[in-house]
Amino acid sequence: MSEQDNRRNARLGFFVLIGIIVFLIGIFFIGSARNLFNSNITLYVLFNNVSGLQRGNNVWLSGVKIGTVSDVDIATDSLVLVSLKVREKDQRYINKDAKAYLGSEGLVGNSIIVIEPGQMRTPVNDGDTIGTKYTTSTEDIINLAQSAGEQLISVAGNLGQVTQRLLDGNGTIGMLLSDTTVADDFRSTLANLEATSQRTRNLSNEVGQMVNRLQTNREGAVYTLMNDTSFAGTYNTALSNIEETTANAAQVSQELQRLSEQLQREDNAVGVLLKDPEFARDLQRTMDNAADASRKLDENMEALQSNILFRGFFRRKARAAERARKDSIEQVNQR
């Protein structure tokens, strides 16, 4: 065999050896991944829905891979039985009250089984069935995101319609945005509010100054009313007098009411005078007759003064009255 054939065979043997080594390394890694070279126990979990879980998917405990899914079988029309192959050395960390739930490797990665250790401190045995914990799966999150996206699209469409109506000037807000008159009125209203606020501040300052003056002016009536304790007695006395006067006025009012009722009755003289029309006419005739008699008496007196028999008498009486008047005037002047 030539030297060239030897080199070719050696090269071929080298590649074969490299292939065998790579194969063995692959077998080792695959066996390690599937726990082919470790002592394992089998645990069972029942799920309503496994969301695409397959044989060979990983089993995790506290973030550490401890086994794989060995089988997925339909137990009933509503339950799926999942068999887990878990390393025997990790059995002590899985308690009787442990819970398993479906997870995923990343957001859209393969489905996995995640085990929560539990609190009972009693490890599971080979062949035990552990409890199930239901959580929101990646599929649920995707469906929720899809629903939220559809709602967002609907909301965006509604916002577009509202924006278009605002731009067209429809509705109250649209009118406020497009009508310059309303904007001017709004600015005028704001100016008026600002002016009112300024006046209110000024008034508040004036009130504060007035209160300060009232507190510092010890000679004023307001300060006396607020701080003079002796005035309280005077004030109470005045109130008592007012109450007494009010009571007396009420009593007088009652008496006037009773007097009015008596005057309106016809069984007394005043009532007859006020309410009997016949008596009123008689009284009027009497007054007329008295006036007529007085007039005639005056006429008779004038006639007597003109009579020659009584003329001297009336003249002497007149001179006496004149002297009396002059004497009274002189007495007044002397004083």
Side-chain angles (χ1 to χ4, degrees):
M1 186 177 292
S2 63
E3 184 177 356
Q4 185 176 1
D5 293 334
N6 290 332
R7 285 197 298 271
R8 185 183 300 112
N9 292 332
R11 193 180 300 114
L12 179 60
F14 177 75
F15 281 112
V16 171
L17 179 60
I18 294 298
I20 293 173
I21 293 173
V22 171
F23 177 75
L24 293 176
I25 292 173
I27 292 296
F28 176 76
F29 279 106
I30 293 173
S32 296
R34 295 182 177 272
N35 295 320
L36 298 176
F37 307 113
N38 298 321
S39 298
N40 299 314
I41 64 171
T42 301
L43 299 176
Y44 299 99
V45 186
L46 289 171
F47 290 101
N48 292 330
N49 189 338
V50 294
S51 301
L53 186 69
Q54 298 178 356
R55 295 180 59 182
N57 291 142
N58 296 324
V59 178
W60 295 78
L61 175 68
S62 301
V64 179
K65 178 185 173 183
I66 61 171
T68 58
V69 176
S70 61
D71 201 0
V72 179
D73 293 324
I74 297 177
T76 65
D77 57 352
S78 60
L79 293 175
V80 178
L81 179 64
V82 179
S83 302
L84 309 180
K85 186 182 289 185
V86 179
R87 292 182 305 195
E88 185 177 4
K89 66 178 182 178
D90 297 320
Q91 176 182 0
R92 55 181 175 170
Y93 303 117
I94 306 174
N95 299 310
K96 289 284 188 179
D97 60 342
K99 301 289 184 181
Y101 62 90
L102 290 172
S104 62
E105 294 178 343
L107 184 60
V108 291
N110 295 328
S111 296
I112 60 173
I113 299 292
V114 180
I115 298 177
E116 293 181 348
Q119 304 293 330
M120 290 183 63
R121 302 301 179 187
T122 302
V124 295
N125 298 318
D126 186 15
D128 284 350
T129 300
I130 60 177
T132 304
K133 178 181 178 181
Y134 293 96
T135 60
T136 302
S137 63
T138 304
E139 183 178 358
D140 295 334
I141 295 175
I142 293 174
N143 293 334
L144 181 60
Q146 182 178 3
S147 176
E150 293 175 354
Q151 293 179 1
L152 183 61
I153 292 173
S154 177
V155 170
N158 294 333
L159 286 177
Q161 295 177 2
V162 172
T163 304
Q164 186 61 42
R165 293 185 61 187
L166 292 177
L167 293 176
D168 294 338
N170 296 327
T172 303
I173 299 177
M175 182 182 64
L176 291 175
L177 294 175
S178 59
D179 192 348
T180 57
T181 304
V182 175
D184 294 337
D185 293 341
F186 185 71
R187 283 193 292 269
S188 176
T189 302
L190 289 180
N192 294 333
L193 287 176
E194 184 176 1
T196 303
S197 177
Q198 183 63 37
R199 288 194 294 270
T200 303
R201 286 195 295 269
N202 296 335
L203 180 60
S204 178
N205 294 332
E206 294 176 358
V207 170
Q209 295 174 1
M210 183 181 68
V211 172
N212 187 35
R213 288 196 299 270
L214 291 176
Q215 291 178 346
T216 56
N217 185 13
R218 299 179 178 272
E219 301 299 329
V222 176
Y223 182 85
T224 303
L225 292 175
M226 295 176 60
N227 297 277
D228 190 357
T229 55
S230 62
F231 183 77
T234 304
Y235 181 74
N236 292 331
T237 302
L239 287 180
S240 300
N241 294 334
I242 291 174
E243 291 178 356
E244 183 178 357
T245 302
T246 303
N248 293 334
Q251 183 176 1
V252 170
S253 176
Q254 293 177 358
E255 292 177 355
L256 289 175
Q257 180 66 27
R258 288 195 296 269
L259 177 60
S260 176
E261 293 176 355
Q262 292 177 358
L263 291 177
Q264 292 178 0
R265 294 167 55 184
E266 298 182 357
D267 57 351
N268 57 75
V270 178
V272 172
L273 290 175
L274 293 176
K275 304 190 69 175
D276 189 355
E278 185 63 28
F279 180 81
R281 286 192 293 271
D282 294 341
L283 181 63
Q284 182 64 39
R285 285 194 297 269
T286 302
M287 294 297 293
D288 293 339
N289 293 333
D292 187 41
S294 176
R295 181 179 55 81
K296 291 180 179 180
L297 180 61
D298 291 338
E299 293 176 352
N300 292 331
M301 291 298 293
E302 290 178 357
L304 287 175
Q305 290 177 4
S306 301
N307 192 305
I308 189 171
L309 297 176
F310 295 96
R311 184 181 302 172
F313 171 77
F314 285 108
R315 286 179 179 177
R316 287 192 300 271
K317 186 176 181 181
R319 285 195 297 268
E322 181 66 20
R323 283 196 301 269
R325 185 181 66 80
K326 289 180 179 180
D327 292 339
S328 63
I329 293 174
E330 290 177 358
Q331 292 176 1
V332 171
N333 292 332
Q334 290 176 0
R335 293 177 183 177

